């Protein structure tokens, strides 16, 4: 999924289990067990709020998480179904050229958070967009 839309799938045989000494890697691929990383295979971009669930989520659930935006806590409603949380990953050791940035969510939302909604985020500023923004200004209460 990318921005709430399915872009591809890969199936794993039913009953496949990850051993207790397994690895999870974001941003590169193993060329050998536990390492062998090649810089040319590195991810370049931003990764935010990656979570691992112990069940397959429906496309509706994924779309909801995306539409709620960066600053939502919609994933909290999944409880123990959310097996690994984004906050867990942030505590782990990182290597390579990794920069952690503050996206400005904080604990209190403001009306400016509407700019992070999919309708407005990263869009070209036009008269129509400004009119839409004015009509949605109170979306967040």
């Amino acid at each position: 999924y990318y921005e709430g839309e399915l872009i591809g799938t890969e199936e794993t045989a039913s009953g496949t289990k990850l051993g207790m000494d397994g690895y999870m890697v974001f941003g590169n691929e193993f060329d050998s067990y536990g390492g062998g990383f090649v810089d040319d295979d590195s991810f370049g971009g931003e990764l935010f709020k990656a979570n691992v669930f112990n069940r397959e989520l429906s496309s509706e659930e994924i779309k909801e998480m995306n539409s709620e935006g960066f600053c939502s806590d919609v994933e909290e409603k999944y409880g123990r179904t959310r097996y690994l949380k984004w906050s867990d990953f942030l505590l782990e050791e990182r290597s390579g050229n990794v920069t952690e940035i503050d996206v400005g969510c904080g604990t209190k939302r403001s009306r400016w958070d509407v700019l992070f909604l999919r309708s407005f985020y990263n869009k070209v500023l036009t008269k129509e967009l400004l009119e839409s923004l004015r009509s949605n200004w109170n979306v967040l209460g």
Side-chain angles (χ1 to χ4, degrees), residues 87-113:
S87 56
D88 297 333
F89 291 114
L90 294 177
L91 296 174
E92 293 299 319
E93 178 183 340
R94 298 173 224 166
S95 62
N97 185 13
V98 177
T99 303
E100 188 174 334
I101 60 171
D102 180 357
V103 296
C105 294
T107 56
K108 184 177 178 187
R109 295 177 67 159
S110 77
R111 294 192 322 177
W112 287 104
D113 289 337

Side-chain angles (χ1 to χ4, degrees), residues 46-97:
E46 296 178 359
L47 184 63
F48 190 75
K49 291 183 91 170
N51 292 281
V52 176
F53 295 85
N54 64 9
R55 68 172 178 83
E56 182 177 357
L57 300 180
S58 70
S59 59
E60 291 78 22
E61 290 170 317
I62 292 169
K63 286 178 184 180
E64 177 188 23
M65 281 188 224
N66 179 68
S67 67
E68 292 292 320
F70 285 148
C71 297
S72 79
D73 60 358
V74 66
E75 67 276 1
E76 295 294 329
K77 74 181 183 180
Y78 292 95
R80 292 185 181 261
T81 301
R82 190 168 59 134
Y83 186 71
L84 293 174
K85 303 174 196 173
W86 179 242
S87 56
D88 297 333
F89 291 114
L90 294 177
L91 296 174
E92 293 299 319
E93 178 183 340
R94 298 173 224 166
S95 62
N97 185 13

